[in-house]
Amino acid sequence: MKIAILALQGAFAEHEQMLKSLGVETTLIREHWEDASGLIVPGGESTSMMRIMRDEGLFEPIRQAILEGLPVLGTCAGLIMLDRNHLGVMDIKARRNAYGRQLGSFNTEADFKGIGRVPMTFIRAPYIEEAGPEVEILARVDGKAVAARQGNMLVTAFHPELTDDTRIHELFLSIVANQND
Amino acid sequence: MEDRTTLNRQLAQMLKGGVIMDVTTPEQARIAENAGACAVMALERIPADIRAAGGVSRMSDPKMIRGIQEAVTIPVMAKCRIGHFAEAQILEAIEIDYIDESEVLSPADDIYHIDKRKFKVPFVCGAKDLGEALRRISEGATMIRTKGEPGTGDIIQAVRHMRLMQSEIRRLVSLNDDELYEAAKQLRVPFDLVQYVHENGKLPVVNFAAGGVATPADAALMMQLGAEGVFVGSGIFKSGNPEKRAQAIVKAVTNYNNPAVLASLSEDLGEAMVGINESEIQLLMAERGK
């Protein structure tokens, strides 16, 4: 199994490290990624990443691959990029900078459906403001949806790659494994 | 480590692979954001103009900074003078995303830097070498940048600082465990930071290039030398076509290892900022705060 990580701007090295610790092969997109069986869209600045993704001609290929069923994990800016107003592949609407500026960034712990208590790091994070009927909300913090799944797409408003807890990545890898069965 | 310090280091991690641009108006801030900047630095005058104007240079008007905060959704940074903790308190009060305790402004204290651990808001500081970087980190800085000579469009100093820092890091990695105590003494930094660099081969915080970046090639050079991202000050809005140059520098940071892409990015950018050579300037801002 090989997982591609969108490496245009942001914290892609952290996802790479996390997957390596789980013994998973990775490739960074701008490189060759056609044979990848999953994709991670990391944290960073979503406006930067969108701009670069369009300029690099990656917008349509990535959108198509996800629509055709490529499993994808989007964290923080990655969640924003999958929503209705960006790549438009997931039936959610993200609220950007939902917790305000950096002084509003925080750590917490909350229940994640099917996993249990999970440490969550929110950095100038979004949350999910609206979700369509096919979207399953997996975690809430203060009543706001902060993690969700819709078929092959898994998103978190927080950064699982910044903690030592590997369970979110393992959940994603199980989605990838099932897809390939 | 404290929660806040970790969160602040992590925000810097999100900026990696990005370009942080100096802007003086909401309009420039929007140009920077549209070009793909990952953050902007709000200031009244860009370094080239600060240098030209001379005199004492201070923190920008909070109202001007607020105008820029309202104009964009990306993080907004602002500068305070070295050691001027009251200016930093004011910037924290307006909820700035990152404070640059910067040698570009006139220093307020020639001995002490700000005790940055007292603040919830994060700080980036300049460093010419590893000792300076680790001293700033020990004071609470959660991001480091080179101290390339601001407002000159001359990359030589940023290159010197980045090369020196990387070679000092490699040296620490090569030492035996029992030699680290002496290294900490020589660098005038806490032992645990020396140990961290020895074990990990890098700073415990993100390290950007800053000062003198004027072209896509300059940005690519700094990234290849080990910078994790780039600050561009006067280089953009002092050039002939700011919009195009801003986009080109963003793309150059993403494609820093691809000379063919860099070649096409470097075409038709209009006039670069004029620039001053290191030997032609009176005031070396990098010598402020050590």
Side-chain angles (χ1 to χ4, degrees):
Chain A
M1 180 194 294
K2 191 200 269 183
I3 303 292
I5 305 168
L6 190 64
L8 303 176
Q9 189 274 324
F12 47 84
E14 288 75 358
H15 278 289
E16 194 180 16
Q17 221 168 2
M18 178 70 96
L19 290 176
K20 279 189 177 143
S21 80
L22 293 169
V24 176
E25 196 189 342
T26 58
T27 179
L28 297 178
I29 299 189
R30 308 179 298 271
E31 295 159 25
H32 178 67
W33 61 286
E34 289 75 8
D35 60 339
S37 40
L39 168 69
I40 293 181
V41 184
E45 282 304 320
S46 55
T47 50
S48 292
M49 288 198 271
M50 282 302 290
R51 171 85 216 192
I52 300 168
M53 195 161 71
R54 284 183 197 280
D55 288 348
E56 301 284 318
L58 286 167
F59 186 91
E60 267 312 312
I62 286 178
R63 191 180 128 80
Q64 279 310 321
I66 297 171
L67 288 176
E68 283 161 21
L70 181 72
V72 59
L73 167 64
T75 61
C76 193
L79 177 152
I80 296 171
M81 289 174 67
L82 296 182
D83 90 346
R84 291 174 192 155
N85 297 324
H86 296 82
L87 279 164
V89 288
M90 196 166 173
D91 193 13
I92 56 169
K93 186 175 163 211
R95 186 187 168 108
R96 259 200 96 187
N97 296 337
Y99 300 91
R101 302 182 186 281
Q102 173 62 4
L103 286 173
S105 295
F106 64 101
N107 283 311
T108 188
E109 229 184 63
D111 285 321
F112 194 105
K113 196 168 179 186
I115 294 184
R117 300 292 280 179
V118 168
M120 299 178 178
T121 297
F122 292 83
I123 313 264
R124 285 175 47 96
Y127 59 63
I128 299 167
E129 202 163 35
E130 286 170 29
E134 282 171 37
V135 178
E136 185 187 13
I137 302 300
L138 299 174
R140 288 182 185 276
V141 169
D142 298 329
K144 307 295 185 195
V146 295
R149 179 173 174 185
Q150 179 185 344
N152 56 324
M153 296 172 273
L154 178 67
V155 290
T156 64
F158 53 92
H159 291 278
E161 78 281 11
L162 294 180
T163 63
D164 296 330
D165 196 306
T166 57
R167 289 175 297 172
I168 305 276
H169 285 80
E170 287 169 50
L171 170 64
F172 173 61
L173 294 175
S174 77
I175 295 172
V176 175
N178 286 336
Q179 192 87 353
N180 291 339
D181 276 349
Chain B
M1 198 177 352
E2 270 182 60
D3 229 27
R4 222 353 97 179
T5 305
T6 307
L7 284 168
N8 288 342
R9 287 183 180 187
Q10 288 169 337
L11 173 58
Q13 284 173 265
M14 296 304 141
L15 302 176
K16 282 189 298 182
V19 180
I20 300 169
M21 300 181 191
D22 280 1
V23 297
T24 59
T25 63
E27 181 52 32
Q28 288 183 354
R30 277 188 287 265
I31 291 175
E33 184 175 49
N34 289 337
C38 67
V40 290
M41 177 77 70
L43 67 180
E44 273 164 8
R45 280 190 298 212
I46 56 173
D49 293 335
I50 291 175
R51 187 176 286 286
V56 175
S57 161
R58 311 177 177 88
M59 176 189 78
S60 297
D61 182 340
K63 187 175 169 189
M64 171 265 161
I65 297 171
R66 278 215 179 103
I68 287 172
Q69 285 176 316
E70 281 158 21
V72 294
T73 60
I74 53 178
V76 177
M77 304 182 166
K79 293 180 192 292
C80 74
R81 285 180 265 177
I82 290 173
H84 206 316
F85 52 84
E87 284 187 349
Q89 289 162 357
I90 291 169
L91 293 174
E92 183 171 65
I94 62 167
E95 298 197 21
I96 203 77
D97 291 301
Y98 241 97
I99 297 177
D100 185 3
E101 187 184 16
S102 177
E103 71 282 2
V104 174
L105 305 182
S106 306
D109 193 318
D110 53 6
I111 300 173
Y112 300 106
H113 278 72
I114 295 172
D115 179 359
K116 294 168 273 289
R117 293 187 186 279
K118 290 228 167 73
F119 290 79
K120 286 173 81 178
V121 80
F123 282 82
V124 53
C125 285
K128 298 190 297 295
D129 53 43
L130 183 61
E132 230 178 282
L134 296 180
R135 283 194 291 282
R136 296 296 87 77
I137 292 167
S138 123
E139 293 157 4
T142 50
M143 180 177 183
I144 291 293
R145 56 169 177 77
T146 59
K147 273 168 116 178
E149 207 48 34
T152 61
D154 188 0
I155 198 70
I156 184 168
Q157 300 230 0
V159 167
R160 191 183 292 151
H161 303 162
M162 189 56 76
R163 278 200 182 271
L164 180 57
M165 214 180 292
Q166 301 292 355
S167 80
E168 288 177 308
I169 288 172
R170 287 193 297 272
R171 179 181 163 268
L172 273 195
V173 170
S174 73
L175 293 182
N176 281 327
D177 287 352
D178 62 357
E179 293 166 337
L180 296 178
Y181 302 96
E182 176 62 18
K185 194 177 94 183
Q186 283 175 8
L187 289 168
R188 298 189 287 131
V189 299
F191 175 74
D192 60 326
L193 289 176
V194 168
Q195 201 173 27
Y196 180 94
V197 174
H198 172 69
E199 284 168 6
N200 296 280
K202 62 187 186 74
L203 296 181
V205 303
V206 167
N207 188 12
F208 268 47
V213 176
T215 67
D218 288 345
L221 174 68
M222 295 311 301
M223 292 297 287
Q224 289 189 36
L225 286 173
E228 296 179 280
V230 173
F231 283 86
V232 187
S234 319
I236 289 174
F237 290 101
K238 276 284 164 189
S239 72
N241 187 345
E243 212 156 342
K244 193 167 181 194
R245 188 167 291 266
Q247 288 172 17
I249 292 178
V250 168
K251 287 187 209 165
V253 169
T254 304
N255 294 292
Y256 69 89
N257 262 333
N258 189 335
V261 173
L262 293 170
S264 70
L265 289 178
S266 304
E267 283 178 10
D268 281 333
L269 285 181
E271 205 168 327
M273 70 177 286
V274 175
I276 330 168
N277 290 306
E278 184 190 31
S279 53
E280 296 166 348
I281 53 178
Q282 304 285 321
L283 172 68
L284 273 181
M285 291 178 178
E287 294 306 315
R288 292 168 164 176
K290 285 178 188 174

